[in-house]
Every structure is written in structure tokens, then in C-alpha cells.
Amino acid sequence: MIENPATTAAEAARQAPPGKLQTLGLSALGIVFGDIGTSPLYTFKTILGTTEGAPDAGVILGALSLVLWTLFIITTVKYVSFAMRVDNDGEGGILALMALLGVKKQQRPTIVAVGLFGAALIYGDGAITPAISVLSALEGLNMATPVLQSYVVPAAVAILLALFAIQSLGTAAIGNYFGPVMLLWFVALALMGISGIVQHPSVFAALNPVYGLSYLFSHGATGFLVLGAVFLCVTGAEALYADMGHFGRRPITLAWFAVVFPSLILNYAGQAALVLEGVPTDGNIFFRLCPGGLLIPFIALATVATIIASQSIITGAFSMTRQAIQLGWLPRLRIKQTSSEGYGQIYVGVVNWLLMIVTLGLTIGFGRSDNLAAAYGIAVSLTMLMTSALLFIAMREIWGWSMLAAGSVAAFFLIVDCAFFLANLTKIAEGGYVPLILAASVYSVMWIWHRGAAAVMTRMHESLIPVPEFMKDIQSKSIPRVPGTAVFLTRTERDTPPVMIWHVKHNRALHEHLFVLRVEILSVPWVAPGNRMTIDEVAPNFWRAEARFGFMERPHIPELLTVGKALGCTIDLDDVTYYVGHETVVGREDGMGLPAWQERFFAVMERNAVHVSDFFSLPSDQVVEIGRQVSI
């Protein structure tokens, strides 16, 4: 029986005793909060670089107020208090939210477009986060000694190469250390922040939002553009929602309020206090919080923290890829399970190497974290904007809120998100085009694959033969029936599967026992064992079954057939041959199919997709592949 690990994890988190809850919260520090936890490395430095002239007290307190209230509104209110309460059987993230809104049960092209483009933008985030984080940490070497400045980019490239190279080994062995290391990092952030605050305690006046609003509305275009830099403080907030399925809502909430949020507040306040005290702002004000004798060890800790943050983003890209494949928006890719203990421990080679190429290109091309900051904000701000739009629909359809209540809350989130997005939009020429190009590319791949797969299905349904008619034809032509069981995998919902028709046409024989199986991936993460499969005997010794899997599950057909025995299907599992079809896609000659460029692109993806027998874990020595042409 296939276990439901997500439901088990979510239920365990809800019922966990305090000690267990704290352990899960510690683990969440290493997986969920790496990105937002390393944002102090570059956020305040970028803000100072955006303001005009030497910053005075009004500018510093205004900027700090904007940072603190941005952390509160977007992370605490929007994601922790609202988004994380809209889960798809414990799973979160924009794809899970899109699936939750029933896009497979009804045609909702706008919701699909919003969800898919938001997901595509996360791939851009996955490429930029490692580059900007590792560069920011290593730039601390410039504070230790300017002699090392020329080594920052080569060292970053070496670290990133090693990071992507070890992905195929999995992180199960070192993953247990992520939480304690990040706890040490957040404690260090808090202590450094306190050391700065004691030099200028009045910095806490910035808790008053009037300072932020006053700066925003009294500095014209400069005040508005600073929002683009301020937004960097919440670039990891989307990860809280996307990684919810790993730990459940309670451990993530505990870690945020008990450790992460206070540490970030203290550190940003400490950086602002140093500037108010008159400390030089050249270089990175973040590293000026660190005592001189501890600078090198702290740079090492910062580098490790950014590697953990990068690891979390890469793992998230792998998980999202699997969701997209299961939902039918990406071609089948080879997915390697790197640990038997954690379902989320997977490796997708194609995604890993493409991310590595883009990340290294960004690191070398931009060279400094300051330059990358412009490219960073636009991807995340647009994803958050799209999440807010989907949350409005969820409030109406899932929570049953009135239009006034849902509209008021969503309008507040959308106004905030739009302000940050528009501020970041001004940086397109400075690098903001990078994530948009990446997202457009990924979205195009998803869209063309889905259109091509739908066209193949349409063509296959045009030539179906009813089962009674097919079996009558078998008898009339005296087609011999050979001993054994044949399992035919099909995508058709009714009648005789095309692969069976082609098998009889070419081999002039048919097994005594026939089992036709259609696998459907539902828009929920997990399917309860009792709802896994339904079986109907449509003719003597001819069964047709429908198997259902969630988009977070990996189908295993031989294991699934044992369920069929329990449901009364008398097939011999020791004598099974699996028949799968292999389509060669060609263009239609009547001009009614897909545009030629889309057909060719889909055909390339189809040829390079993982074989269906591997995707369904079929034993290679029991599989017969039957090729045929399908014109789309």
C-alpha cells in the first residue's frame, strides 16, 4: 500500500507535543528560512546605495521603518497568517494553490496562466538566490583586507560549482546540521544587532510606521524607488508557503515568531543604529556590526548560511518540477530519490545543470551583489503579486468569505505587492530583464507541452473502438489467445486502448487475461489508499482500471497491481507483460493541427522525455514498447 507521507507529516505536526514541535521548528530553520535569513547581508547595503547623498536621521529611520513593516505585513500577515491557512492537503506554494482552485475540473485559463507564470518566476529566483547570497557573504572579505577583493568572484564560482555538483548525492547526510547551523546564524544576527543598537537605542523609534510613510511620501521618486531595495528583506517569504508540506504550519510559525522575526528586527535595527552613530557606510554596513577579531570566522559562517539558503532554493525547484510534471505541465524528467527517509529529497539532473549554468552566468556577468539586487526583486515581487490574486479567489471559493471581506483583504495585499513590483519594474534595464526572460522561457515550455499533450489525446480519441466490437472482431478473425496477463497502459478514458489494437495488428495474438490501466494525476498532493484504484470487468477476463495519484506522489505500477488483486481482479502477477505505446509526433497534413513550430518543439520534448516505463517504475524485462505515429 502506498503511504501518504505528507498527511502523516502534517498530522504529526498538528498533534506534536511541545518537544517534537520545537524539533520540527529547528529543522524548518535550515530548510525554510535560509533565503530570508541571509537577506540582511545585502538589503540595508542596497537601500543605502539607493538613497541620494549622505543619509540623515530621517532617511535612516524611514528606511528602517519600511523594512520592519514590510517584514510584518508581507511575511507575518500575508504568508504566516493567511496564505499558510490555504493548503492543498498540507501542501503549499503557488502550483499547489493553483491546483486547489480546481483547474483540472473546469477550464480556468486565467488562473492557470497566473499560477504557471508565478511558478516559472520561481525558477528565476532559484538561479539568482545562490549567486547574490554567496557573493554577499564573500564580499565581507573586502572588509577584512582589500587584497582579497579580486578573489571574491572566483571563490563564489568555486563554491557554486561544488554546490551544484553534489546535488545528485542528496542532502540527507548533512541536512540534519542545517537547522543547528541556521540557529547559530540567527543568534549571531541578533547579538550583532544588539551590539549596534546599544550605540544608538533611539533607533527603535522606527517601529512607528509614520517614519516610513513620511519618508515614502516626502522624497518623491527617490522614496518610491527605495521600495525596490526595501523589498529584498522579504525575498524568501514565498518559501514559507512553498515548503509548508515538509513541516506543517505550526513548526514554521513557531520558528518565525520565536527565532527568525526577532533576529531580523534586531539585526536591521543594529545596522541602522551604526549609520545613525556615524559609522562609515562604504563597503557593507552589515559586516561592520561584527567585532574585528571575529570577522573572518563570521564571514565563514555567513558563507555556510548562504550555501544552506541556496540549497533550499535548489531543492524547492526540484520539488516544483515534480509537481509540474505530475500535473501535466512539463515533460517527464528523470527524478532520482536521494533518500528513503524524506520524500522531498530528490534530484532532477536537467533542472540542476540548467540552474547551475544560469547561476554561474549571473555570478560572473554581474560580479557584485549590488548589481544582482536589481535582477532579484522583480522575480519575487511578481510571484507575490500573483499569489495575492489567487488568494483572493481562495478566500471566496474555499473559505466562503463575502466579496467585501475577501476584496478588502486582497486589495490591501495587492496594493502593497503592486507598489513593490512597480518599484522593481524600474530596474528592468539594470538586470530585471533576466528573471523575466527565464520565466517567459519556462512558461513557454509548460504551455507548449500541455498543448501538445492535449492534441495527442484528441487524436487518440478519434479512432477508438468499443470493447464489444473489438472482442467480436478478435473472435471473427480467430486471433489466438495465449496464456498469461497483458497490462496495457493507456491515456484514453474509454473503449479499447490504441496500444492493444496495434499489438493485435502487428503480433496477431492476444493474452488470455487483459488488464487496461489508465493513470490519472489529480490536483491534490496525495490520494487516500482507499481511493487509489477502481476496477471494472468490461468483458470476460478483460478488466479496465483507473488509478489515481496525487501530484506529490510517484506512481509505482507493479506495486499498484497488488491492490487490483484485493479488489477481485484475478490476474496472475507472476506472469505479466506490460505494453506501452511510444508516439512519434508528426505534423498534420490538413493544416488543422498545431502551428508547425509548436509541433516541432513538442516533438523534441516528447523524444527526450523519460520513458513511460521508467516513470511508472515498470520492470524493464517485462515491457514491450509499440511505436506509432500521431499527427497533431
Side-chain angles (χ1 to χ4, degrees), residues 393-442:
I393 301 173
M395 291 175 199
R396 292 278 295 142
E397 297 183 1
I398 298 172
W399 289 353
W401 284 17
S402 66
M403 177 64 77
L404 179 60
S408 300
V409 173
F412 175 69
F413 291 151
L414 287 169
I415 289 171
V416 174
D417 290 337
C418 281
F420 283 120
F421 173 64
L422 292 174
N424 280 291
L425 203 59
T426 61
K427 302 177 182 179
I428 285 184
E430 302 171 32
Y433 60 87
V434 172
L436 294 180
I437 291 175
L438 290 173
S441 302
V442 174

Coordinates of all heavy atoms in Angstrom, one line a residue, residues 393-442:
I393 N -9.2 34.6 -4.8 CA -10.2 33.6 -5.2 C -10.3 32.5 -4.2 O -11.5 32.0 -4.0 CB -9.6 33.0 -6.5 CG1 -9.5 34.1 -7.6 CG2 -10.6 31.9 -7.1 CD1 -8.8 33.6 -8.9
A394 N -9.2 32.1 -3.5 CA -9.3 31.1 -2.4 C -10.2 31.6 -1.3 O -11.0 30.8 -0.7 CB -7.9 30.7 -1.9
M395 N -10.1 32.8 -0.9 CA -10.9 33.4 0.2 C -12.4 33.3 -0.2 O -13.2 33.0 0.7 CB -10.6 34.8 0.5 CG -9.2 35.1 1.1 SD -8.8 36.8 1.2 CE -7.1 36.8 1.4
R396 N -12.7 33.5 -1.5 CA -14.1 33.5 -1.9 C -14.6 32.0 -2.0 O -15.7 31.7 -1.5 CB -14.2 34.2 -3.2 CG -14.0 35.7 -3.2 CD -15.2 36.4 -2.7 NE -16.3 36.3 -3.7 CZ -17.6 36.2 -3.4 NH1 -18.0 36.2 -2.1 NH2 -18.5 36.1 -4.3
E397 N -13.8 31.2 -2.7 CA -14.4 29.9 -3.0 C -14.1 28.8 -2.0 O -14.9 27.9 -1.8 CB -13.7 29.4 -4.4 CG -14.1 30.3 -5.5 CD -13.5 29.8 -6.8 OE1 -12.9 28.8 -6.9 OE2 -13.7 30.5 -7.9
I398 N -13.0 28.9 -1.2 CA -12.7 27.9 -0.2 C -13.1 28.3 1.2 O -13.7 27.5 1.9 CB -11.1 27.6 -0.3 CG1 -10.7 27.1 -1.7 CG2 -10.7 26.6 0.8 CD1 -9.3 27.0 -1.9
W399 N -12.8 29.5 1.5 CA -13.3 30.0 2.9 C -14.7 30.5 2.9 O -15.3 30.6 3.9 CB -12.3 31.1 3.4 CG -11.0 30.6 3.7 CD1 -10.6 29.3 3.8 CD2 -9.8 31.4 4.1 NE1 -9.2 29.2 4.2 CE2 -8.8 30.5 4.4 CE3 -9.6 32.7 4.2 CZ2 -7.5 30.9 4.8 CZ3 -8.4 33.2 4.6 CH2 -7.3 32.3 4.9
G400 N -15.3 30.8 1.7 CA -16.6 31.3 1.6 C -16.8 32.7 2.1 O -17.9 33.1 2.6
W401 N -15.7 33.5 2.1 CA -15.8 34.9 2.5 C -16.7 35.7 1.5 O -16.8 35.4 0.4 CB -14.5 35.5 2.6 CG -13.7 35.1 3.8 CD1 -13.9 34.0 4.6 CD2 -12.5 35.8 4.3 NE1 -12.9 34.0 5.6 CE2 -12.1 35.0 5.4 CE3 -11.8 36.9 3.9 CZ2 -10.9 35.3 6.2 CZ3 -10.6 37.2 4.7 CH2 -10.2 36.5 5.8
S402 N -17.3 36.8 2.1 CA -18.1 37.7 1.2 C -17.1 38.5 0.3 O -15.9 38.5 0.6 CB -18.9 38.7 2.1 OG -18.0 39.5 2.8
M403 N -17.7 39.0 -0.7 CA -16.9 39.8 -1.7 C -16.3 41.0 -0.9 O -15.1 41.4 -1.2 CB -17.8 40.3 -2.8 CG -17.1 41.2 -3.8 SD -15.8 40.4 -4.7 CE -16.7 39.5 -5.8
L404 N -17.0 41.6 0.0 CA -16.4 42.8 0.7 C -15.2 42.4 1.6 O -14.2 43.0 1.5 CB -17.5 43.4 1.6 CG -17.1 44.6 2.5 CD1 -16.6 45.7 1.6 CD2 -18.2 45.1 3.4
A405 N -15.4 41.3 2.3 CA -14.3 40.8 3.2 C -13.1 40.4 2.4 O -11.9 40.8 2.7 CB -14.8 39.7 4.1
A406 N -13.3 39.5 1.4 CA -12.2 39.0 0.6 C -11.6 40.1 -0.2 O -10.3 40.2 -0.3 CB -12.7 37.9 -0.3
G407 N -12.4 41.0 -0.7 CA -11.9 42.1 -1.5 C -11.1 43.1 -0.7 O -10.0 43.6 -1.2
S408 N -11.5 43.3 0.5 CA -10.7 44.3 1.3 C -9.4 43.8 1.7 O -8.4 44.5 1.6 CB -11.5 44.6 2.6 OG -12.8 45.1 2.3
V409 N -9.3 42.5 2.1 CA -8.0 41.9 2.5 C -7.1 41.8 1.2 O -5.9 42.2 1.3 CB -8.2 40.5 3.1 CG1 -6.9 39.8 3.4 CG2 -8.9 40.7 4.4
A410 N -7.7 41.2 0.2 CA -6.9 41.1 -1.1 C -6.4 42.4 -1.6 O -5.3 42.5 -2.1 CB -7.7 40.3 -2.1
A411 N -7.3 43.4 -1.6 CA -6.9 44.7 -2.1 C -5.7 45.3 -1.3 O -4.8 45.9 -1.9 CB -8.1 45.7 -2.0
F412 N -5.7 45.1 0.0 CA -4.6 45.6 0.8 C -3.3 44.9 0.4 O -2.3 45.6 0.1 CB -4.9 45.3 2.3 CG -3.7 45.7 3.2 CD1 -3.4 47.0 3.4 CD2 -3.0 44.7 3.8 CE1 -2.3 47.3 4.2 CE2 -2.0 45.0 4.7 CZ -1.6 46.3 4.9
F413 N -3.4 43.6 0.2 CA -2.2 42.8 -0.2 C -1.7 43.2 -1.6 O -0.5 43.4 -1.9 CB -2.4 41.3 -0.2 CG -2.6 40.7 1.2 CD1 -3.4 39.6 1.4 CD2 -1.9 41.3 2.3 CE1 -3.5 39.1 2.7 CE2 -2.1 40.8 3.6 CZ -2.9 39.7 3.8
L414 N -2.7 43.4 -2.5 CA -2.4 43.7 -3.9 C -1.8 45.1 -4.0 O -0.9 45.4 -4.8 CB -3.7 43.6 -4.8 CG -4.1 42.2 -5.1 CD1 -5.5 42.2 -5.7 CD2 -3.1 41.5 -6.0
I415 N -2.3 46.1 -3.2 CA -1.7 47.4 -3.2 C -0.3 47.4 -2.8 O 0.6 48.0 -3.4 CB -2.5 48.4 -2.3 CG1 -3.9 48.7 -3.0 CG2 -1.8 49.7 -2.1 CD1 -4.9 49.4 -2.1
V416 N 0.0 46.7 -1.7 CA 1.4 46.6 -1.2 C 2.3 45.9 -2.3 O 3.4 46.3 -2.6 CB 1.4 45.8 0.1 CG1 2.9 45.5 0.5 CG2 0.7 46.6 1.2
D417 N 1.8 44.7 -2.8 CA 2.6 44.0 -3.8 C 2.8 44.8 -5.1 O 3.9 44.8 -5.6 CB 1.8 42.7 -4.2 CG 1.9 41.7 -3.0 OD1 2.8 41.8 -2.2 OD2 1.0 40.8 -3.0
C418 N 1.8 45.5 -5.5 CA 1.9 46.4 -6.7 C 2.9 47.5 -6.5 O 3.7 47.8 -7.4 CB 0.6 47.0 -7.1 SG -0.5 45.8 -7.9
A419 N 2.9 48.1 -5.3 CA 3.9 49.1 -5.0 C 5.4 48.6 -5.1 O 6.2 49.2 -5.8 CB 3.7 49.7 -3.6
F420 N 5.6 47.4 -4.6 CA 6.9 46.8 -4.6 C 7.3 46.4 -6.1 O 8.4 46.5 -6.5 CB 7.0 45.6 -3.7 CG 7.2 46.0 -2.3 CD1 6.3 45.6 -1.3 CD2 8.3 46.7 -1.8 CE1 6.4 46.0 0.0 CE2 8.4 47.1 -0.5 CZ 7.5 46.7 0.4
F421 N 6.3 45.8 -6.8 CA 6.5 45.4 -8.1 C 6.9 46.6 -9.1 O 7.8 46.5 -9.9 CB 5.3 44.6 -8.7 CG 5.5 44.3 -10.1 CD1 6.4 43.4 -10.6 CD2 4.6 44.8 -11.1 CE1 6.6 43.1 -11.9 CE2 4.7 44.5 -12.4 CZ 5.7 43.6 -12.8
L422 N 6.1 47.6 -8.9 CA 6.3 48.8 -9.8 C 7.7 49.4 -9.5 O 8.4 49.9 -10.4 CB 5.2 49.8 -9.6 CG 3.8 49.4 -10.1 CD1 2.8 50.5 -9.8 CD2 3.9 49.2 -11.6
A423 N 8.1 49.4 -8.2 CA 9.4 50.0 -7.8 C 10.5 49.1 -8.4 O 11.5 49.6 -8.9 CB 9.5 50.0 -6.3
N424 N 10.3 47.8 -8.4 CA 11.3 46.9 -9.0 C 11.3 47.0 -10.5 O 12.3 46.7 -11.2 CB 11.1 45.5 -8.6 CG 11.6 45.2 -7.2 OD1 12.8 45.2 -7.0 ND2 10.8 45.0 -6.2
L425 N 10.1 47.3 -11.1 CA 10.0 47.4 -12.6 C 10.9 48.4 -13.2 O 11.3 48.3 -14.3 CB 8.5 47.7 -12.9 CG 8.0 47.2 -14.3 CD1 8.2 45.7 -14.5 CD2 6.6 47.6 -14.5
T426 N 11.3 49.4 -12.4 CA 12.1 50.4 -12.9 C 13.6 49.9 -13.1 O 14.4 50.6 -13.7 CB 12.2 51.6 -12.0 OG1 12.7 51.2 -10.7 CG2 10.8 52.2 -11.8
K427 N 13.8 48.7 -12.6 CA 15.2 48.2 -12.7 C 15.3 47.1 -13.8 O 16.3 46.4 -13.9 CB 15.6 47.5 -11.4 CG 15.5 48.4 -10.2 CD 15.8 47.6 -8.9 CE 15.7 48.5 -7.7 NZ 16.0 47.7 -6.4
I428 N 14.4 47.1 -14.8 CA 14.5 46.1 -15.8 C 15.8 46.3 -16.6 O 16.4 45.3 -16.9 CB 13.2 46.3 -16.8 CG1 12.0 45.7 -16.1 CG2 13.5 45.5 -18.1 CD1 10.8 45.7 -16.9
A429 N 16.1 47.5 -17.0 CA 17.3 47.7 -17.8 C 18.6 47.4 -17.0 O 19.6 47.1 -17.6 CB 17.4 49.1 -18.3
E430 N 18.5 47.4 -15.7 CA 19.7 47.1 -14.9 C 19.9 45.7 -14.5 O 20.8 45.3 -13.8 CB 19.6 47.9 -13.6 CG 19.5 49.4 -13.7 CD 19.2 50.1 -12.4 OE1 19.7 49.6 -11.4 OE2 18.5 51.1 -12.4
G431 N 19.0 44.8 -15.0 CA 19.2 43.4 -14.8 C 17.8 42.7 -14.5 O 17.8 41.5 -14.4
G432 N 16.8 43.5 -14.3 CA 15.5 42.9 -14.1 C 14.9 42.1 -15.2 O 14.0 41.3 -15.0
Y433 N 15.5 42.3 -16.4 CA 15.1 41.5 -17.6 C 15.4 40.0 -17.4 O 14.8 39.2 -18.1 CB 15.7 42.1 -18.8 CG 17.2 42.1 -18.9 CD1 17.9 40.9 -19.3 CD2 17.9 43.2 -18.4 CE1 19.3 40.9 -19.3 CE2 19.3 43.1 -18.4 CZ 20.0 42.0 -18.8 OH 21.4 42.0 -18.8
V434 N 16.4 39.7 -16.6 CA 17.0 38.4 -16.5 C 15.9 37.4 -16.0 O 15.6 36.4 -16.7 CB 18.2 38.3 -15.7 CG1 18.6 36.8 -15.4 CG2 19.4 39.1 -16.3
P435 N 15.3 37.6 -14.8 CA 14.2 36.7 -14.4 C 13.0 36.7 -15.3 O 12.3 35.6 -15.4 CB 13.9 37.2 -13.0 CG 14.3 38.6 -12.9 CD 15.5 38.7 -13.8
L436 N 12.7 37.8 -15.9 CA 11.5 37.8 -16.8 C 11.8 36.9 -18.0 O 10.9 36.2 -18.5 CB 11.2 39.3 -17.2 CG 10.8 40.2 -16.1 CD1 10.5 41.6 -16.7 CD2 9.5 39.7 -15.4
I437 N 13.0 37.0 -18.6 CA 13.3 36.1 -19.7 C 13.3 34.7 -19.3 O 12.8 33.8 -20.0 CB 14.7 36.5 -20.3 CG1 14.6 37.9 -21.0 CG2 15.2 35.5 -21.3 CD1 16.0 38.4 -21.5
L438 N 13.9 34.4 -18.1 CA 13.9 33.0 -17.6 C 12.4 32.5 -17.4 O 12.1 31.4 -17.8 CB 14.6 32.9 -16.3 CG 16.2 33.1 -16.4 CD1 16.7 33.2 -15.0 CD2 16.8 32.0 -17.2
A439 N 11.6 33.3 -16.8 CA 10.2 32.9 -16.6 C 9.5 32.7 -17.9 O 8.7 31.8 -18.0 CB 9.5 34.0 -15.7
A440 N 9.6 33.6 -18.8 CA 9.0 33.5 -20.1 C 9.4 32.2 -20.8 O 8.5 31.5 -21.4 CB 9.3 34.7 -21.0
S441 N 10.7 31.8 -20.7 CA 11.1 30.6 -21.3 C 10.5 29.4 -20.7 O 10.0 28.5 -21.4 CB 12.7 30.5 -21.2 OG 13.3 31.6 -21.8
V442 N 10.5 29.3 -19.4 CA 9.9 28.2 -18.6 C 8.4 28.1 -18.9 O 7.8 27.0 -19.2 CB 10.2 28.3 -17.1 CG1 9.4 27.2 -16.4 CG2 11.7 28.2 -16.9

